[in-house]
């Protein structure tokens, strides 16, 4: 029994850790599809794939959020643009980054609440 215990422990840890990677594999697959859709200017499909990808994980990558913000801007989706911009701001992206998206209402609202958002992000990191 003692000889089997280390093997069972190893198998349990291996299976447990590989199960967590599935979410990220799907995330990366969907974000790659969305980026390709952006290149083809198929922004509605890109939005769909980004939203599906962002549902798969808790913390999407900033690079992917930037692509998604570009997509929201192209689709004139103010609500989604504001949501993405808030996530980017919480991640430490400076306010000047959003100047090219200032036509979106969601971004203008971010300008008003940026200091509050930044303080929240700083408090989370401390």
């Amino acid at each position: 029994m003692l000889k089997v215990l280390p093997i069972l422990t190893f198998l349990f840890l291996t299976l447990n850790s590989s199960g967590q990677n599935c979410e990220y594999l799907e995330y990366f697959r969907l974000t790659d599809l969305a980026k390709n859709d952006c290149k083809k200017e198929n922004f509605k499909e890109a939005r769909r794939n980004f939203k599906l990808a962002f549902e798969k994980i808790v913390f999407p990558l900033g690079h992917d959020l930037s692509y998604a913000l570009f997509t929201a801007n192209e689709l004139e989706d103010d609500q989604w643009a504001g949501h993405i911009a808030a996530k980017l701001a919480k991640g430490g992206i400076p306010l000047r980054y959003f100047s090219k998206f200032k036509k979106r209402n969601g971004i203008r609202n971010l300008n008003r609440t940026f200091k509050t958002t930044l303080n929240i992000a700083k408090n989370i990191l401390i």
Side-chain angles (χ1 to χ4, degrees), residues 57-87:
I57 61 170
V58 177
F59 299 107
L61 299 177
H63 180 71
D64 298 330
L65 288 168
S66 293
Y67 261 97
L69 183 57
F70 171 78
T71 302
N73 188 55
E74 290 296 316
L75 291 171
E76 298 180 359
D77 188 338
D78 291 344
Q79 184 177 2
W80 193 43
H83 178 73
I84 295 165
K87 283 189 174 207

Side-chain angles (χ1 to χ4, degrees), residues 4-120:
V4 177
L5 187 59
I7 294 170
L8 289 175
T9 304
F10 173 76
L11 287 174
F12 176 75
L13 291 173
T14 304
L15 291 174
N16 229 6
S17 65
S18 66
Q20 294 172 358
N21 291 335
C22 291
E23 294 168 351
Y24 279 95
L25 288 174
E26 185 67 7
Y27 169 81
F28 288 124
R29 186 186 72 76
L30 288 166
T31 55
D32 286 345
L33 286 173
K35 290 173 193 175
N36 285 331
D37 290 330
C38 284
K39 290 176 187 172
K40 296 175 187 173
E41 297 184 3
N42 186 358
F43 297 112
K44 288 184 180 181
E45 189 65 20
R47 174 177 52 193
R48 188 181 76 76
N49 284 321
F50 276 126
K51 285 185 175 187
L52 287 172
F54 296 158
E55 289 174 1
K56 299 286 179 194
I57 61 170
V58 177
F59 299 107
L61 299 177
H63 180 71
D64 298 330
L65 288 168
S66 293
Y67 261 97
L69 183 57
F70 171 78
T71 302
N73 188 55
E74 290 296 316
L75 291 171
E76 298 180 359
D77 188 338
D78 291 344
Q79 184 177 2
W80 193 43
H83 178 73
I84 295 165
K87 283 189 174 207
L88 285 166
K90 287 176 186 175
I93 300 297
L95 188 58
R96 66 181 173 274
Y97 174 80
F98 303 105
S99 64
K100 57 188 164 198
F101 303 107
K102 61 185 173 189
K103 290 182 182 178
R104 303 277 68 86
N105 286 332
I107 304 298
R108 281 189 293 223
N109 291 338
L110 179 69
N111 286 333
R112 291 186 206 115
T113 61
F114 187 78
K115 284 188 177 183
T116 304
T117 303
L118 192 57
N119 287 335
I120 291 170

